[in-house]
Amino acid sequence: MEMQIIARVHSDFPAKFGIPRQSGLVPELKAKVVFEPGFRSREAVRGLEQFSHIWLIWQFSEVPEDTWSPTVRPPRLGGNKRVGVFASRSPFRPNPVGLSCVRLEKIEENEELGPVLHIAGADLMDGTPVFDIKPYLPYVDSHPEAQEGFTGMTRRHRLEVEISEQWLAMVPEEKREALTGILANDPRPSYQHDPARVYGFSYAGLEVRFTVADGRASVCEICPGEEGRSAGHTERGKA
């Protein structure tokens, strides 16, 4: 079975590090879904504006082919404990397909691009291919009584965030709350605890560098970044 890419995500993340681990964790994160030329039909999204949330079915496009494993080590379990790949949301799957539930803020009718979906709570890298879009149906999709498995031990992990006015001034006002949410959710792997280590990620055309100690993420630098540059954690004093 061959699947067609119907759209791509346009977000503020040119690289993977820093992206929230699940959709909805940072509600302030905005993105757009832009349809590919063959799917820019207003008729195809007729009625979608009536729904507050949608499902996106997409591809882990940065995962190398043929790298799936029957067991994986979720970062939130410290990177040492293994669970089955089908008990996880790891990208290293037989078919590298992701699923995100996002808030649909509006559908913009663009003369060149056709209907553009404005979404919030996205956990997607810029350029992510989208295979399908479906409405979220609360009467069947919501299960408050559901068991949460091993994620119940990790979901409440949040950091306090410290950003000085000097660095905050570098961030567009409409993106500051989202940046705080990204840092509060702790982008680091759980097995890294060195308070002297400087981590960095690209966001909204900026390079954000921070340290973590005693439950607090402290931003030590924000500067203009090179779009598309791969950003990851670094040691203090290194690029």
Side-chain angles (χ1 to χ4, degrees):
M1 177 181 177
E2 293 186 4
M3 298 182 71
Q4 298 183 72
I5 297 172
I6 66 165
R8 291 186 183 273
V9 173
H10 291 235
S11 77
D12 285 320
F13 290 102
K16 293 182 291 183
F17 189 75
I19 298 176
R21 291 177 173 84
Q22 305 294 341
S23 57
L25 278 178
V26 184
E28 301 82 12
L29 272 177
K30 308 296 178 69
K32 297 177 183 179
V33 178
V34 178
F35 288 95
E36 294 289 275
F39 300 94
R40 292 173 181 174
S41 167
R42 188 66 181 86
E43 293 299 300
V45 297
R46 183 197 294 181
L48 190 63
E49 72 281 353
Q50 300 176 25
F51 296 91
S52 64
H53 292 72
I54 57 176
W55 291 106
L56 300 180
I57 301 171
W58 47 275
Q59 179 188 7
F60 287 102
S61 54
E62 295 299 302
V63 174
E65 295 182 5
D66 302 323
T67 56
W68 88 278
S69 170
T71 62
V72 295
R73 296 183 293 180
R76 285 303 199 196
L77 291 182
N80 296 315
K81 183 177 180 180
R82 286 190 172 272
V83 301
V85 65
F86 299 128
S88 79
R89 295 190 174 184
S90 167
F92 300 102
R93 321 183 70 79
N95 295 301
V97 175
L99 180 67
S100 295
C101 181
V102 296
R103 187 170 77 252
L104 177 61
E105 296 199 313
K106 67 176 181 178
I107 302 178
E108 171 197 355
E109 189 61 40
N110 185 286
E111 184 175 344
E112 178 184 358
L113 302 176
V116 175
L117 309 186
H118 291 250
I119 60 174
D123 58 339
L124 300 158
M125 192 171 73
D126 188 54
T128 294
V130 176
F131 291 135
D132 201 6
I133 298 167
K134 300 179 186 294
Y136 174 88
L137 307 178
Y139 79 99
V140 288
D141 291 342
S142 177
H143 300 279
E145 77 286 0
Q147 297 184 23
E148 55 192 349
F150 64 81
T151 63
M153 299 181 291
T154 64
R155 66 189 179 105
R156 297 175 183 86
H157 177 70
R158 288 182 66 86
L159 300 173
E160 294 184 29
V161 177
E162 182 179 68
I163 308 177
S164 70
E165 289 298 325
Q166 173 190 2
W167 303 126
L168 200 60
M170 298 285 296
V171 184
E173 187 173 354
E174 70 275 11
K175 298 184 183 295
R176 293 175 185 177
E177 193 171 359
L179 176 59
T180 299
I182 295 166
L183 292 165
N185 278 282
D186 195 354
R188 304 172 305 158
S190 292
Y191 52 83
Q192 293 180 353
H193 303 288
D194 182 359
R197 193 164 192 165
V198 177
Y199 301 83
F201 61 91
S202 298
Y203 171 67
L206 301 168
E207 291 292 330
V208 181
R209 303 196 181 280
F210 67 100
T211 59
V212 178
D214 300 324
R216 179 186 297 271
S218 301
V219 171
C220 51
E221 184 181 19
I222 296 179
C223 60
E226 179 184 344
E227 287 292 338
R229 182 170 61 193
S230 177
H233 53 266
T234 61
E235 304 239 343
R236 185 179 298 277
K238 295 184 180 179

